[in-house]
Amino acid sequence: MDSVRSDPYGQIFRPDNFIFGQSGAGNNWAKGHYTEGAKLIDSVLDIVRKDAESCDCLQGFQITQSLGGGTRSGMGTLLISKVREEYPDRIMCTFSVIPLFESQ
């Protein structure tokens, strides 16, 4: 997270919107969705709500998510599910990142 914050483009992100856990989930989708992600999702949704409430006319959400099958993809699907539950009448636009595996 420090490398993102110290990058010149890191200044476009609000520092109070950074959320991260202390432990990794070992590249495991289920841990990212059910255990590690479940611990963080309320904090993430609080920030989403705060930003959504500050909008004059919220039209929808753009989410970039990894489909690599690991922790981030599990947390990404959990986030999409929870945002869809809370804002069912808003547009959801997702951008999926698929890892490139090169064979040798």
Side-chain angles (χ1 to χ4, degrees):
M1 295 302 284
D2 291 333
S3 63
V4 172
R5 291 179 186 172
S6 64
D7 189 87
Y9 290 112
Q11 304 306 312
I12 65 173
F13 302 106
R14 291 184 20 203
D16 56 332
N17 283 359
F18 282 97
I19 296 178
F20 53 94
Q22 296 301 320
S23 64
N27 200 29
N28 185 324
W29 183 93
K31 278 187 147 185
H33 193 272
Y34 295 110
T35 56
E36 301 297 327
K39 293 177 188 175
L40 295 174
I41 195 65
D42 290 331
S43 300
V44 174
L45 289 174
D46 287 342
I47 289 175
V48 170
R49 276 187 221 101
K50 183 179 75 172
D51 285 346
E53 289 170 1
S54 70
C55 293
D56 292 332
C57 182
L58 178 67
Q59 294 183 10
F61 298 91
Q62 290 184 355
I63 297 177
T64 302
Q65 124 183 63
S66 168
L67 293 180
T71 307
R72 290 177 302 253
S73 63
M75 179 66 182
T77 55
L78 178 61
L79 176 62
I80 290 170
S81 171
K82 295 292 186 178
V83 168
R84 174 58 54 213
E85 277 179 26
E86 197 153 329
Y87 302 93
D89 59 338
R90 302 297 174 207
I91 296 169
M92 175 76 67
C93 182
T94 61
F95 299 93
S96 300
V97 178
I98 302 172
L100 173 65
F101 297 106
E102 293 185 28
S103 60
Q104 295 188 15

